[in-house]
């Protein structure tokens, strides 16, 4: 596998929160990316759940290279390839099937694969994935579950995503095995639809301020 840690680590280290967005209108993508950057967030995960997602990824990648645009909800090798050719700098998956991992390992674009149980975490670690998405974080045991994996599996650091809020994010980020969190609260669909970009900048700024100062090994 290719340098999953080095490439992804740079993106995840720089951002305590990775905004997860579902974009219906690709014309909003550039302004959204600018709003996040203005708030101090330099990554965005665009979920492949809408027809507009690939267009949005292409536009952000071409127009705002300062932000690391990732493709989220990548479920198949075909989606992986499409995301990579569209300019995604990383891919995120809710889980990890063997076919998806093969696609990731054949690509220059790194994958943040999802895991929920210690066995899934260990299976991914065996393939070299030291950075994993813990998903769906709140439903799968939340902070207590992530904390419980820190001592037995210290080699893996997580990006808990799914039900994380502005309120719970800091507690996740205080754990030694959490590199960042993901969540949709930073760029809510309602704010996007109403083009409230200054509101999104405000939320991004609060999210960027959640950085735990003492860097973790
Ligand atoms: C998702 O599934 O969209 C992401 O995990 C974000 O989840 P959230 O809306 O609970 O933050």
């Amino acid at each position: 596998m290719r340098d999953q840690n080095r490439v992804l680590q740079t993106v995840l280290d720089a951002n305590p929160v990775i905004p997860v967005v579902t974009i219906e209108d690709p014309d909003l993508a550039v302004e959204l990316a600018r709003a996040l950057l203005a708030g101090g967030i330099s990554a965005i995960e665009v979920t492949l759940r809408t027809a507009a997602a690939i267009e949005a990824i292409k536009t952000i990648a071409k127009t705002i290279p300062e932000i690391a645009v990732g493709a989220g909800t990548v479920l198949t090798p075909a989606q992986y390839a499409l995301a990579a050719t569209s300019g995604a700098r990383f891919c995120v998956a809710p889980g990890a099937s063997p076919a998806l991992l093969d696609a990731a390992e054949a690509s220059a674009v790194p994958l943040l694969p999802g895991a929920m149980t210690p066995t899934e975490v260990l299976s991914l670690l065996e393939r070299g994935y030291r950075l994993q998405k813990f998903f769906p974080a709140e439903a799968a045991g939340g902070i207590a579950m992530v904390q419980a994996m820190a001592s037995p599996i210290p080699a893996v650091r997580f990006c808990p995503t799914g039900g994380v809020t502005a309120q719970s994010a800091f507690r996740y980020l205080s754990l030694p095995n959490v590199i960042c969190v993901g969540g949709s609260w930073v760029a809510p669909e309602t704010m996007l639809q109403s083009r409230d970009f200054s509101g999104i900048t405000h939320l991004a700024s609060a999210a960027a301020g959640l950085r735990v100062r003492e860097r973790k090994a």
Side-chain angles (χ1 to χ4, degrees):
M1 72 167 295
R2 307 183 188 232
D3 278 346
Q4 183 238 6
N5 293 307
R6 190 178 55 77
V7 178
L8 258 189
Q9 189 163 336
T10 306
V11 174
L12 303 189
D13 254 340
N15 294 284
V17 181
I18 307 293
V20 178
V21 300
T22 302
I23 296 185
E24 302 285 353
D25 179 356
D27 291 344
L28 301 180
V30 166
E31 271 186 281
L32 169 61
R34 287 210 174 104
L36 293 171
L37 272 177
I41 293 287
S42 60
I44 180 171
E45 177 189 328
V46 178
T47 61
L48 300 189
R49 296 185 205 163
T50 61
I54 287 293
E55 195 53 38
I57 289 170
K58 281 184 185 164
T59 306
I60 295 170
K62 197 166 57 183
T63 318
I64 325 239
E66 307 93 293
I67 200 159
V69 59
T73 322
V74 177
L75 306 179
T76 66
Q79 286 179 318
Y80 208 100
L82 183 59
T85 55
S86 302
R89 303 246 286 272
F90 61 97
C91 287
V92 183
S97 72
L100 191 66
L101 294 176
D102 288 346
E105 286 158 25
S107 171
V109 175
L111 171 67
L112 181 66
M116 192 183 98
T117 67
T119 298
E120 291 168 0
V121 170
L122 287 178
S123 300
L124 286 172
L125 183 58
E126 271 180 15
R127 288 183 76 146
Y129 292 92
R130 293 161 62 92
L131 299 172
Q132 301 179 14
K133 169 175 173 167
F134 177 63
F135 179 83
E138 282 297 302
I143 291 165
M145 180 71 168
V146 181
Q147 187 167 29
M149 289 197 276
S151 175
I153 317 177
V156 175
R157 285 197 293 163
F158 296 98
C159 173
T161 307
V164 179
T165 64
Q167 288 69 39
S168 62
F170 187 77
R171 281 183 291 135
Y172 277 105
L173 289 164
S174 303
L175 299 178
N177 58 341
V178 169
I179 186 166
C180 63
V181 300
S184 60
W185 85 86
V186 182
E189 235 167 305
T190 47
M191 277 179 142
L192 254 180
Q193 274 160 15
S194 61
R195 298 175 179 246
D196 182 2
F197 293 109
S198 62
I200 290 174
T201 294
H202 185 75
L203 291 174
S205 170
L210 290 171
R211 189 182 313 280
V212 175
R213 289 285 161 206
E214 198 180 317
R215 290 316 315 166
K216 299 159 193 168

